[in-house]
């Protein structure tokens, strides 16, 4: 479904005295494939290039090298109409659930936004669909009239997820979707994402620095380090035994609530 081929990306401007060189790239010839109904984790420490790659896949940052193909179509060579279709099929959930929503809108309005943009629905049908979406993410129809400041972080992230699935996309880029939540809510949101993947057949590109979250949700995991994929596995559980320095750094970064738990986690 998604093919990322030899993608390179560098920030900063090219000038007459200095051309952009590959050594400056924060993404260096990154390649991977993502199949339907599959969750691929992009795991790496801060600055590895995960979010940059996410934005490239979302069509927001044109790569300086390589191609991104979505169902065989080059995302960046597509014309206006095709790009609109692609935008519908690829959605995103960001880490910061608060800044992802307009604080003045109700949950119904937030979730209904993509439906209003892409589908011609009567007010009654729109209300029915947003109610359905609220229930799909574990909220109630009555929550539809509430505004963002009336929800907890976990509930607000459910609203962001409801908005992301509203158009039945084929791919959702999840950019650290649980990082700002406590462990209990992280686990609940990961369960919800797993349920939605199974029921909707949607694929995820799950950007995270949390190796436990990656092992919980992902079917495959690509470990990134300084702009490159240094390890790709179809069995995420095997990561705990990896000798890769980048993977060991991620394991070290996990701080269990009680030190005694450290041994049982890995
Ligand atoms: N807008 C920008 N302008 C210049 N450099 C940037 C910009 N965004 C990211 N970078 C740089 O690109 C590199 C990769 O950043 P990116 O945010 O993609 O990494 P990441 O793995 O997602 O990290 P984190 O988990 O901390 O978000 C970093 O060195 C970062 O400083």
């Amino acid at each position: 479904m998604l093919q990322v081929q030899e993608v390179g990306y560098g920030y900063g401007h090219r000038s007459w005295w200095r051309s952009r060189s590959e050594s400056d790239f924060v993404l260096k010839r990154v390649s991977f494939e993502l199949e339907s109904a599959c969750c691929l984790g992009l795991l790496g420490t801060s600055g590895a290039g995960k979010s940059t790659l996410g934005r490239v896949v979302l069509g927001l940052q044109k790569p300086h090298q390589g191609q991104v193909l979505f169902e065989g179509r080059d995302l960046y060579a597509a014309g206006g109409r095709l790009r609109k279709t692609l935008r519908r099929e690829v959605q995103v959930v960001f880490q910061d659930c608060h800044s992802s929503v307009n604080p003045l809108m109700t949950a119904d309005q937030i979730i209904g936004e993509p439906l209003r943009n892409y589908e011609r629905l009567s007010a009654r049908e729109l209300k029915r669909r947003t109610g359905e979406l609220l229930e799909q993410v574990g909220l109630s129809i009555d929550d539809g009239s509430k505004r963002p400041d009336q929800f907890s972080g976990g509930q607000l992230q459910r609203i962001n997820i409801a908005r992301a699935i509203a158009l039945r996309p084929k791919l959702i880029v999840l950019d650290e979707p649980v990082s700002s939540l406590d462990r209990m809510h992280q686990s609940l949101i990961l369960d919800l994402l797993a349920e939605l993947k199974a029921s909707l057949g949607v694929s995820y590109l799950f950007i995270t620095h949390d190796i436990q979250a990656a092992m919980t949700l992902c079917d495959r995991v690509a470990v990134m380090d300084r702009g490159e994929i240094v390890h790709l596995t179809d069995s995420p559980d095997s990561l705990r035994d990896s000798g890769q320095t980048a993977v060991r750094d991620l394991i070290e970064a996990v701080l269990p609530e009680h030190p005694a738990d450290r041994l049982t986690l890995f």
Side-chain angles (χ1 to χ4, degrees):
M1 184 190 56
L2 176 75
Q3 288 165 296
V4 171
Q5 298 177 337
E6 299 271 308
V7 160
Y9 188 90
Y11 289 100
H13 295 291
R14 213 183 341 202
S15 58
W16 61 269
W17 53 273
R18 188 173 178 273
S19 62
R20 188 185 282 116
S21 94
E22 253 190 77
S23 59
D24 299 330
F25 281 8
V26 297
L27 294 180
K28 297 170 186 163
R29 296 187 182 275
V30 172
S31 299
F32 64 83
E33 287 192 22
L34 174 56
E35 299 80 28
S36 298
C38 178
C39 176
L40 172 69
L42 273 186
L43 182 65
T45 51
S46 183
K50 308 179 298 294
S51 295
T52 302
L53 186 51
R55 289 192 291 271
V56 168
V57 167
L58 283 164
L60 301 174
Q61 287 180 183
K62 187 175 180 182
H64 298 119
Q65 225 176 37
Q67 283 186 313
V68 181
L69 305 179
F70 185 75
E71 301 200 311
R73 297 166 294 185
D74 186 336
L75 206 62
Y76 289 92
R81 232 176 121 150
L82 183 53
R83 280 199 79 134
K84 193 169 179 205
T85 311
L86 291 172
R87 272 206 297 274
R88 179 185 176 129
E89 291 180 349
V90 184
Q91 297 290 322
V92 62
V93 175
F94 289 110
Q95 171 177 358
D96 188 345
C97 50
H98 295 278
S99 67
S100 304
V101 295
N102 181 337
L104 302 176
M105 284 182 163
T106 63
D108 270 342
Q109 288 169 330
I110 293 165
I111 297 169
E113 204 171 23
L115 295 168
R116 283 194 300 278
N117 289 340
Y118 281 88
E119 293 182 9
R120 285 168 183 270
L121 301 176
S122 64
R124 193 195 178 101
E125 177 62 4
L126 189 62
K127 178 75 191 153
R128 193 190 64 76
R129 291 275 292 274
T130 54
E132 218 172 66
L133 286 159
L134 280 165
E135 287 184 333
Q136 239 177 317
V137 297
L139 297 172
S140 82
I141 293 179
D142 294 341
D143 289 323
S145 57
K146 296 184 189 163
R147 293 185 199 279
D149 63 353
Q150 295 175 279
F151 292 107
S152 68
Q155 288 172 323
L156 208 46
Q157 201 57 310
R158 287 175 191 266
I159 289 168
N160 283 310
I161 292 168
R163 177 176 56 187
I165 60 168
L167 294 170
R168 291 291 190 110
K170 293 183 176 156
L171 170 65
I172 304 180
V173 175
L174 301 166
D175 192 348
E176 304 270 11
V178 296
S179 303
S180 60
L181 307 176
D182 59 55
R183 272 282 168 204
M184 190 188 83
H185 286 99
Q186 284 187 4
S187 159
L188 292 171
I189 295 288
L190 290 175
D191 287 348
L192 170 68
L193 290 167
E195 271 166 42
L196 292 173
K197 178 163 97 55
S199 60
L200 304 176
V202 62
S203 295
Y204 298 140
L205 185 63
F206 180 47
I207 295 171
T208 184
H209 63 273
D210 182 337
I211 192 165
Q212 274 183 284
M215 290 194 301
T216 305
L217 187 64
C218 300
D219 304 300
R220 298 168 65 214
V221 174
V223 180
M224 286 190 73
D225 188 27
R226 282 164 284 186
E228 292 177 84
I229 290 181
V230 293
H231 186 68
L232 187 63
T233 177
D234 286 339
S235 47
D237 279 347
S238 69
L239 286 171
R240 59 165 67 97
D241 304 318
S242 171
Q244 277 272 343
T245 314
V247 180
R248 299 309 307 169
D249 288 348
L250 290 160
I251 291 173
E252 291 298 315
V254 175
L255 295 173
E257 266 146 42
H258 192 281
D261 293 341
R262 193 175 186 91
L263 293 174
T264 53
L265 280 171
F266 295 106

